Amino acid sequence: MKLNPQQQQAIHYLGGPLFVLAGAGSGKTRVITEKIAYLITQAGYLPHTIAAITFTNKAAKEMQERIATMLNKKQTQGLTVCTFHSLGMKILREEAEHCGLKKNFSILDATDSAKIIGELMDSTGRDAIFTTQHQISLWKNSLLTPEQARQTAHDKWQQQTAQIYAAYQETLQNYQAVDFDDLIRLPTLLLRDNSAIRHKWQLRLRYLLVDECQDTNTCQYALMRLLTGAEGMFTAVGDDDQSIYAWRGANMENLRLLQSDYPQLKVIKLEQNYRSTARILKVANQVIANNPKLFPKTLWSHYGQGDKIRVVACQHEQHEAEWVANEIQRQKMIGGDKVRYADFAILYRGNHQARTFEEALRTLRIPYQLSGGQSFFDKAEIKDILAYIRLVANPEDDPAFLRAATTPKRGIGDTTLGKLNAYAQQHHCSLFTAAQSMNALASLASKNRDSLMQFTNMMLHYRQRATSERAGDWITHLLNEIGYEAHLQHSEEGKASEIKWRNVQELAEWLTRKGDEDHKNIIEIAQTIALMTLLEGKNEDDIDAVKMSTLHASKGLEYPTVFLVGCEEGLFPHNDSIEEGHLDEERRLMYVGITRAKQQLALTYCKKRKRQGNWHFPEPSRFIDEMPQEDLHILGRKDGNPIVSKAEGRSHLSGLSAMLAAKSKKMNS
């Protein structure tokens, strides 16, 4: 497809700092990749002096793939296309000693850091740990030290949290470890405070391209500024109307700062949309017009007017889910092979809404894929139990050993594991092998030694039983022996332990069923699970299934037909956001949801919804009232058209099936 004049201008502009205001579906990824190709082939930039920074690995991978089709390997040698975190890690690896770190420092994930914070708090309450962890993350992203956090604390809780932050940083230093936030924070502080290193990296990276600039936090924006210097040779791409991540530290103010920090900033608007019909864009433009504008723009399209947007009033959640599932099945049946399940997306405000839709889709045997929510195999309690199964299947699996040995707690602490790790490294063996070595055991205190020996003996015993025992019996015995239900009751607050234990029971039932149906022992099933978890990482685009996603996770994606569900006051916009004065961000979230749709868009809401066992009667979302009413087709409301009943729907579907069967018979005769 030919580039439009604005896209061409953005690609060719090299007169200084540039901000490309890229509306939804305006081809921003193409502009970035084409600009990289232009810099290398026409503007004389060497590939290793260019860095394109994205927010997700998926976006970075997509860019790399596109560039690979435009340029050969030699032309892209040394080119950096990565996330902010990856770039930070690259700088940190090279400059580790200047940050008080050894070259092979460890990187902790969110679970690891939560564990340390929980121990410092002397708490096991998941919500309390998460809130503390989140606050520390926000401070880090705002470049505040523990001391600065303490000085600016608003209340007693923040003061206490600032103390935990100080102790947490000390622990990380002792461990020679960093967390995800440090991957950007430490390089930023280093470049800020050390002019020689700053100059070195400015010379190395001569041109910067930053994607989704509206999503940068204070720290990321500071890193971008330090790398580009006064000259400001960069292209930042973003859209203030799609800024939806304030809750994780994104600061839309950065777009305003661009203008004051770089007075010579050039702004180019991409307003032509290559995704949606004119009507979908008209609805999106009118909703977002209710927000204050940093950079005014109006999206437009050559794709024709398109269908009216359906607004469907449903009786309750089950009715809502059934209507969506029936509608998908109806359209699939009418469209036949031309319509894929992957053409449909169900988008919702919160993950808790997904379950009802899952049930409705399963009932009609419609394949679906969850994204933006946690996979079953990613849940902490499931990973705990799978660690035991993995260790039995492969005693060389060190991460599985660490998890199984310490969950539930059994007197194997950091000191024991540290000594074990040192022995394993020295003797080039696994932790499980080290734990069975008399020399390694001799270095431990008797109490710790006994705990470790009990654990390894138990695992050897279960490994022995694994090949001869029914998978269901094996897992039942293991759960009883390690006392996992009691562990959950002790470590989780309120209903969380019940929910987690239910998930573990679900896993046990699945293992039992799998073992009996496929005549497999627990080790053989472990291989199946490994394959399943690998498949979960398969490119989502390759799977023909209805996509179910939170609105936050849907950003950057597009679908021919979108169902935007739960459009009710209190749910969307969310009560918390209304109370905290974040209505503008909720409206931007609605804008993002609308602009995911290419051809068809339906919004649903419930007349009544159950919350904590009681019926509530919500008002339809105020965002529906903000839409041009002449472009809406209202269904199920007193003043609208009736929704086809369930019985009528079934009759309609069976009629369609009969028609299609007759057609097929005629063709074959």
Side-chain angles (χ1 to χ4, degrees):
M1 198 187 291
K2 197 177 160 196
L3 291 160
N4 67 40
Q6 290 76 24
Q7 288 175 324
Q8 284 181 338
Q9 194 189 356
I11 291 163
H12 297 148
Y13 183 79
L14 291 174
L18 170 66
F19 176 57
V20 179
L21 181 67
S26 62
K28 68 176 176 72
T29 306
R30 188 180 178 196
V31 166
I32 294 171
T33 51
E34 292 271 3
K35 185 148 194 172
I36 291 169
Y38 178 76
L39 287 166
I40 294 169
T41 59
Q42 306 293 315
Y45 278 84
L46 295 168
H48 68 264
T49 66
I50 301 167
I53 309 172
T54 68
F55 270 83
T56 63
N57 290 321
K58 189 181 175 186
K61 190 171 174 244
E62 188 190 341
M63 271 189 207
Q64 285 162 344
E65 285 169 353
R66 287 204 198 184
I67 293 162
T69 63
M70 298 159 73
L71 301 170
N72 62 43
K73 272 190 177 175
K74 194 180 174 185
Q75 287 174 308
T76 59
Q77 204 168 1
L79 174 70
T80 300
V81 180
C82 65
T83 62
F84 266 105
H85 288 94
S86 299
L87 180 64
M89 186 168 71
K90 188 177 178 178
I91 298 171
L92 212 49
R93 288 260 186 247
E94 197 166 316
E95 312 294 351
E97 61 180 307
H98 297 286
C99 298
L101 293 166
K102 57 183 184 186
K103 281 259 190 283
N104 58 339
F105 59 85
S106 303
I107 300 168
L108 303 185
D109 64 15
T111 311
D112 297 326
S113 84
K115 196 175 174 187
I116 294 168
I117 289 167
E119 283 168 4
L120 291 169
M121 290 170 69
D122 197 22
S123 169
T124 54
R126 194 177 58 167
D127 289 348
I129 292 169
F130 174 79
T131 311
T132 302
Q133 190 177 15
H134 185 62
Q135 181 59 67
I136 292 170
S137 178
L138 290 175
W139 279 330
K140 285 190 172 192
N141 291 332
S142 300
L143 289 173
L144 294 176
T145 63
E147 180 54 29
Q148 288 166 327
R150 192 186 63 76
Q151 286 172 358
T152 56
H154 297 305
D155 51 38
K156 195 177 173 185
W157 177 80
Q158 283 202 349
Q159 282 179 343
Q160 288 169 339
T161 305
Q163 285 175 324
I164 291 163
Y165 176 18
Y168 171 65
Q169 285 307 106
E170 201 176 316
T171 306
L172 291 190
Q173 190 65 38
N174 293 340
Y175 283 9
Q176 285 288 289
V178 298
D179 61 16
F180 270 14
D181 296 320
D182 286 333
L183 288 176
I184 303 170
R185 185 181 72 93
L186 291 174
T188 303
L189 294 175
L190 180 65
L191 294 185
R192 186 191 72 184
D193 300 336
N194 190 319
S195 58
I197 292 173
R198 180 169 69 246
H199 189 60
K200 170 187 159 182
W201 282 92
Q202 284 176 354
L203 283 174
R204 187 177 300 184
L205 298 176
R206 304 302 300 266
Y207 203 96
L208 225 59
L209 299 103
V210 181
D211 192 16
E212 306 283 14
C213 193
Q214 78 281 348
D215 293 334
T216 54
N217 58 40
T218 301
C219 189
Q220 288 160 336
Y221 180 73
L223 182 62
M224 178 187 125
R225 281 212 69 201
L226 289 161
L227 286 169
T228 54
E231 203 180 33
M233 291 306 287
F234 67 82
T235 296
V237 181
D239 180 6
D240 52 332
D241 290 335
Q242 295 188 72
S243 179
I244 56 174
Y245 297 119
W247 52 276
R248 66 180 190 202
N251 187 359
M252 203 171 74
E253 198 58 30
N254 292 340
L255 294 186
R256 205 184 310 273
L257 283 173
L258 269 178
Q259 292 175 298
S260 57
D261 290 337
Y262 300 95
Q264 71 277 42
L265 184 77
K266 175 122 175 126
V267 179
I268 297 172
K269 296 180 187 180
L270 303 184
E271 296 174 292
Q272 185 174 354
N273 174 285
Y274 294 94
R275 177 185 297 158
S276 309
T277 64
R279 187 168 261 131
I280 288 169
L281 295 179
K282 183 184 171 187
V283 169
N285 285 330
Q286 190 154 318
V287 168
I288 205 67
N290 291 278
N291 271 8
K293 297 297 245 186
L294 198 54
F295 299 98
K297 65 174 185 309
T298 305
L299 295 182
W300 59 276
S301 157
H302 277 317
Y303 288 160
Q305 190 71 344
D307 297 339
K308 281 192 175 187
I309 281 75
R310 287 178 294 173
V311 177
V312 185
C314 305
Q315 297 304 318
H316 43 70
E317 298 103 303
Q318 278 72 30
H319 181 217
E320 181 183 43
E322 283 166 3
W323 183 83
V324 170
N326 279 315
E327 186 59 20
I328 291 170
Q329 195 179 50
R330 186 183 72 82
Q331 289 197 37
K332 179 78 175 91
M333 207 163 262
I334 293 169
D337 293 339
K338 289 179 184 174
V339 175
R340 298 174 76 233
Y341 285 116
D343 293 341
F344 301 93
I346 303 168
L347 308 181
Y348 35 79
R349 180 64 180 80
N351 276 314
H352 65 277
Q353 294 169 257
R355 181 129 319 174
T356 318
F357 290 92
E358 284 190 76
E359 285 166 8
L361 292 168
R362 275 204 297 265
T363 302
L364 294 180
R365 296 190 176 173
I366 295 171
Y368 66 88
Q369 191 175 45
L370 279 166
S371 68
Q374 198 181 31
S375 142
F376 183 74
F377 289 106
D378 272 341
K379 294 180 189 294
E381 62 275 22
I382 302 302
K383 285 168 94 170
D384 286 346
I385 306 307
L386 290 182
Y388 285 89
I389 299 173
R390 281 166 49 198
L391 190 58
V392 160
N394 175 17
E396 303 296 303
D397 189 335
D398 279 355
F401 177 91
L402 285 169
R403 193 162 192 135
T406 55
T407 315
K409 284 191 167 43
R410 50 170 60 85
I412 303 171
D414 289 349
T415 309
T416 304
L417 291 170
K419 287 179 179 178
L420 215 54
N421 191 40
Y423 182 91
Q425 280 187 331
Q426 197 182 336
H427 294 84
H428 307 290
C429 65
S430 69
L431 290 172
F432 193 76
T433 304
Q436 296 169 78
S437 158
M438 292 317 291
N439 289 336
L441 290 167
S443 67
L444 302 176
S446 61
K447 194 180 172 185
N448 300 338
R449 184 166 59 242
D450 290 347
S451 300
L452 192 60
M453 286 173 73
Q454 278 174 11
F455 173 69
T456 51
N457 289 337
M458 178 183 79
M459 294 314 295
L460 288 166
H461 173 62
Y462 275 94
R463 183 168 167 80
Q464 216 175 350
R465 289 165 58 171
T467 50
S468 57
E469 201 167 323
R470 278 178 68 238
D473 294 338
W474 188 93
I475 191 70
T476 304
H477 291 145
L478 177 81
L479 289 170
N480 286 336
E481 183 150 349
I482 65 174
Y484 195 76
E485 187 180 8
H487 156 73
L488 287 175
Q489 287 167 350
H490 178 68
S491 59
E492 298 290 337
E493 290 177 345
K495 277 203 165 179
S497 70
E498 290 174 38
I499 294 164
K500 289 194 166 196
W501 179 241
R502 209 159 43 242
N503 288 334
V504 169
Q505 285 175 307
E506 200 177 312
L507 174 71
E509 284 163 16
W510 181 82
L511 290 167
T512 304
R513 199 163 58 246
K514 201 85 184 147
D516 291 348
E517 286 173 3
D518 301 347
H519 306 291
K520 285 183 173 176
N521 62 46
I522 199 78
I523 290 177
E524 290 165 331
I525 298 171
Q527 292 158 346
T528 310
I529 295 169
L531 192 63
M532 282 174 71
T533 49
L534 281 172
L535 284 173
E536 283 192 345
K538 191 177 172 187
N539 189 346
E540 293 188 3
D541 302 335
D542 297 341
I543 301 165
D544 187 25
V546 173
K547 301 298 186 286
M548 292 177 62
S549 167
T550 61
L551 282 152
H552 283 101
S554 74
K555 192 155 157 285
L557 304 173
E558 56 182 46
Y559 307 94
T561 300
V562 168
F563 297 93
L564 233 168
V565 301
C567 298
E568 300 145 29
E569 287 292 305
L571 189 55
F572 189 29
H574 200 277
N575 260 335
D576 292 352
S577 295
I578 299 168
E579 286 167 16
E580 291 164 16
H582 297 155
L583 190 61
D584 288 355
E585 179 143 337
E586 290 288 300
R587 192 174 280 111
R588 290 195 291 271
L589 200 53
M590 172 59 85
Y591 176 82
V592 165
I594 296 168
T595 54
R596 298 313 93 200
K598 294 163 79 171
Q599 290 144 21
Q600 289 189 322
L601 175 65
L603 289 89
T604 64
Y605 66 89
C606 295
K607 293 176 183 176
K608 62 176 182 178
R609 186 180 289 274
K610 229 172 206 177
R611 279 190 212 153
Q612 295 166 338
N614 298 316
W615 285 108
H616 290 256
F617 299 87
E619 290 290 314
S621 171
R622 67 188 74 192
F623 301 142
I624 295 170
D625 290 335
E626 293 175 358
M627 295 172 182
Q629 300 301 298
E630 66 275 14
D631 293 291
L632 306 182
H633 181 44
I634 311 284
L635 298 161
R637 219 164 65 188
K638 281 181 184 175
D639 55 340
N641 295 331
I643 301 176
V644 176
S645 72
K646 205 169 168 184
E648 287 173 308
R650 280 182 181 148
S651 148
H652 182 64
L653 283 171
S654 62
L656 268 174
S657 300
M659 184 181 77
L660 289 167
K663 199 174 176 182
S664 168
K665 196 175 175 184
K666 195 177 176 182
M667 283 172 75
N668 293 331
S669 59

